[in-house]
Amino acid sequence: SLNLQALNLYRNGTIELWLRPNSFTGSQIIFSKHGPAGGDDDEYSLSITNGFLLFSTGIGFQFTESELHQWNHIAIVLTPTDSRMYLNQTLMSTGPRLSERATEQEFSIGAVEAIKGTKSYNGFFNGSIDELRISNISRKPEEFLPSAKPNLSKIEGVKVNEGELINISLNAFHP
């Protein structure tokens, strides 16, 4: 069972993943710790909206055609004072810290539940997600996952440095 309180990252945290988008159009949910779609109780989310990769704090960047159909390493670093987004270990955007909204909302990957409890989803991500890693420490770029896309081997929940790798992993997820 996943400890939803452990996914509250408003103090410190790093979210990393490999992302291979097939399309930049529309609104696509990559992951979300959320209430029902359109609600005001979202804790945080990462999405692609008409070509922009956006995180809840307002940080993001516009994808280029060179990132389409390619594996890209995305990292979001959260501290008590700010948030930073990296693409392939290059800083792309900085913004405010994540607001303190510690909830026990569900964590979803690749879509969001339209109405809580219905198991009806929307905002499907068109692409592949691999090696999602959520940790409760703010990592530096040199501590991110390897800079070259490794073989699609599954990562299990283990202790990593001082932080705990929360038991979420994907292996070549294709919705």
Side-chain angles (χ1 to χ4, degrees):
S1 159
L2 181 62
N3 177 357
L4 293 173
Q5 286 292 340
L7 296 175
N8 297 332
L9 301 175
Y10 58 87
R11 288 188 186 95
N12 285 300
T14 303
I15 304 169
E16 296 179 72
L17 65 146
W18 287 94
L19 192 68
R20 187 175 191 266
N22 293 331
S23 168
F24 296 142
T25 60
S27 180
Q28 304 176 46
I29 302 296
I30 297 165
F31 63 77
S32 180
K33 187 163 189 298
H34 61 86
D40 59 358
D41 55 353
D42 287 1
E43 194 168 327
Y44 56 83
S45 64
L46 180 67
S47 63
I48 295 175
T49 303
N50 296 321
F52 287 88
L53 185 66
L54 301 170
F55 187 68
S56 300
T57 60
I59 58 175
F61 62 90
Q62 185 165 13
F63 275 115
T64 65
E65 288 300 314
S66 66
E67 283 108 23
L68 192 63
H69 304 293
Q70 300 296 318
W71 283 109
N72 300 282
H73 181 262
I74 307 297
I76 300 159
V77 177
L78 305 165
T79 73
T81 58
D82 69 357
S83 59
R84 298 180 292 272
M85 184 182 288
Y86 294 83
L87 170 66
N88 299 321
Q89 294 186 306
T90 300
L91 180 64
M92 300 299 286
S93 183
T94 59
R97 70 180 187 90
L98 188 63
S99 60
E100 188 170 339
R101 299 185 68 178
T103 68
E104 290 197 25
Q105 298 293 352
E106 293 181 7
F107 187 89
S108 62
I109 301 169
V112 65
E113 192 172 24
I115 300 171
K116 188 167 181 71
T118 65
K119 303 299 180 199
S120 173
Y121 295 87
N122 60 20
F124 291 96
F125 173 66
N126 182 358
S128 301
I129 300 169
D130 196 23
E131 297 181 8
L132 174 61
R133 176 169 85 164
I134 300 174
S135 51
N136 59 0
I137 60 172
S138 300
R139 296 185 186 283
K140 298 175 184 154
E142 59 270 16
E143 299 172 319
F144 294 160
L145 291 169
S147 58
K149 177 69 180 97
N151 292 333
L152 295 178
S153 59
K154 189 171 183 177
I155 293 179
E156 296 295 335
V158 294
K159 292 280 186 179
V160 178
N161 295 337
E162 314 95 77
E164 181 180 348
L165 176 63
I166 297 167
N167 190 17
I168 295 178
S169 63
L170 293 175
N171 187 18
F173 176 69
H174 301 280

